[in-house]
Amino acid sequence: MNFSTALPTFVITLREGVEAALVVGIVLALLKKAKQSRLNSWVYAGVGVGIVVSALIGVLFSVVIKALGQVNPQYTSVVEPGLEGVFSVLAIAMLSWMLIWMTKQARFMKAQVEGAVTEALTQNNNAGWGVFSLILIAVVREGFETVLFIAANFQQGLIPTIGALGGLLVAATIGVLLFKLGVKINIRQFFQVMGVLLVLIVAGLVVSALKHFDDAFANLALSSRASESLCFYYEHFTKVHSCILGPIVWNTSSILPDDQFPGIILKSLFGYREHLYIVQAVGYVLFLLTVGGLYFRSLNGETVKSNKNVSLFQK
């Protein structure tokens, strides 16, 4: 059983879960400060329902994926890698947006949450529902990004889901340490480290997405003569070839195979492949230069005001 596929989802849910935990902690602290702790049950309900909704979205995705694959069995070899490629692109877009836009907005998190809670408390009859909605949206937003990532790797079975649950558990533990036990954690540094890991994980997802599309096009080209021209690049004289990815850049299968340790860890976390093609290499570098560059520039604005948050939690 390959547990290395659980590592990327562990990192993603850990990062997303801690962000959701910060929102929950800020809301609980604000309710305590406003002497409205009676609404705490609405906060916990929002967390619980958010986790259930995220799980249901994951189940729905898996059902839809299986259904689409069975619509026309003869094209299953085309549909499955094609769907993996599509979900990979969606996951890349969502995670990239989260890394850049959310990093810029994170320094305003406390003010935004405080404003939303204050507005909810002014509505006496619906204050509970207002707090519940705030927490629900925060949890589902983070959960949806994880579900997309798992959907992009749906052929890997339940192992990525185990990693997601593990990340969620550790995130909840960090939340308890911050808000219940008053432990000081450098949240800013935590998010920076997680952000760097996510940049590398998503860059690896770019490599995987291109390979999924290559498999889909290759299988479609093999299915009929009319589709043969889809493979604009194909070396008939090599054992390792691509359909749309161009010539191979390296073949390290004899030195560092990606199905054995440590190659399998590098593959799961950073997108390493024993066979890398020119289009994949260009896509990887372009992603690091664009999204990675934007992310590192956004860090200059400071991701999370950890000191202020910790001081708030301890009041």
Side-chain angles (χ1 to χ4, degrees):
M1 191 173 287
N2 180 15
F3 282 98
S4 64
T5 56
L7 292 175
T9 49
F10 174 82
V11 172
I12 289 173
T13 42
L14 176 57
R15 197 270 180 204
E16 301 293 276
V18 169
E19 187 170 317
L22 285 177
V23 175
V24 171
I26 291 171
V27 171
L28 290 173
L30 290 171
L31 290 177
K32 183 178 180 180
K33 190 176 181 180
K35 298 181 179 179
Q36 295 292 330
S37 296
R38 61 184 177 83
L39 298 176
N40 285 1
S41 58
W42 289 92
V43 174
Y44 300 132
V47 172
V49 173
I51 292 173
V52 171
V53 170
S54 298
L56 289 176
I57 292 173
V59 172
L60 179 63
F61 267 123
S62 64
V63 170
V64 170
I65 289 168
K66 288 180 180 179
L68 289 174
Q70 294 172 356
V71 168
N72 198 331
Q74 67 176 346
Y75 286 108
T76 298
S77 62
V78 176
V79 172
E80 286 193 354
L83 283 174
E84 289 182 18
V86 170
F87 281 117
S88 294
V89 170
L90 291 174
I92 290 166
M94 287 291 293
L95 290 168
S96 298
W97 169 80
M98 178 270 292
L99 273 171
I100 298 170
W101 190 84
M102 289 303 294
T103 296
K104 292 180 179 179
Q105 295 298 312
R107 59 183 177 272
F108 307 116
M109 180 190 294
K110 177 177 173 289
Q112 291 171 341
V113 174
E114 186 171 8
V117 172
T118 302
E119 183 180 351
L121 292 178
T122 59
Q123 302 170 1
N124 294 326
N125 295 331
N126 297 313
W129 285 110
V131 171
F132 173 83
S133 301
L134 173 65
I135 298 298
L136 177 63
I137 292 171
V139 174
V140 172
R141 184 186 66 199
E142 312 302 343
F144 182 67
E145 290 166 354
T146 306
V147 166
L148 270 181
F149 187 87
I150 294 174
N153 299 277
F154 65 88
Q155 282 190 331
Q156 296 177 354
L158 292 174
I159 303 301
T161 305
I162 294 174
L165 292 174
L168 193 62
L169 182 61
V170 175
T173 302
I174 291 175
V176 171
L177 290 174
L178 282 172
F179 308 121
K180 295 293 185 182
L181 303 180
V183 176
K184 290 185 178 181
I185 296 174
N186 192 327
I187 295 296
R188 179 174 176 271
Q189 195 171 61
F190 170 84
F191 275 109
Q192 286 182 348
V193 172
M194 289 294 104
V196 171
L197 281 174
L198 277 179
V199 167
L200 295 172
I201 287 173
V202 179
L205 195 58
V206 171
V207 174
S208 298
L210 290 170
K211 181 57 179 171
H212 293 321
F213 285 125
D214 183 68
D215 290 341
F217 276 97
N219 291 333
L220 184 60
L222 290 171
S223 65
S224 67
R225 285 188 172 274
S227 304
E228 285 182 349
S229 59
L230 289 173
C231 287
F232 65 79
Y233 182 88
Y234 191 92
E235 281 191 89
H236 294 278
F237 303 105
T238 61
K239 292 182 179 180
V240 181
H241 46 251
S242 74
C243 176
I244 61 173
L245 299 179
I248 195 166
V249 175
W250 73 49
N251 182 349
T252 56
S253 56
S254 60
I255 304 172
L256 188 62
D258 59 21
D259 59 351
Q260 298 176 18
F261 182 85
I264 196 168
I265 303 297
L266 297 175
K267 177 181 178 180
S268 297
L269 275 177
F270 309 125
Y272 165 77
R273 293 293 186 279
E274 60 186 29
H275 301 135
L276 187 73
Y277 302 92
I278 186 67
V279 174
Q280 289 176 305
V282 170
Y284 189 88
V285 172
L286 282 177
F287 180 87
L288 289 180
L289 290 176
T290 54
V291 175
L294 288 171
Y295 171 69
F296 283 112
R297 280 196 291 273
S298 71
L299 290 180
N300 293 331
E302 295 187 348
T303 56
V304 178
K305 299 291 186 178
S306 58
N307 292 335
K308 290 185 178 181
N309 285 342
V310 171
S311 63
L312 171 66
F313 305 148
Q314 293 175 338
K315 288 181 180 179

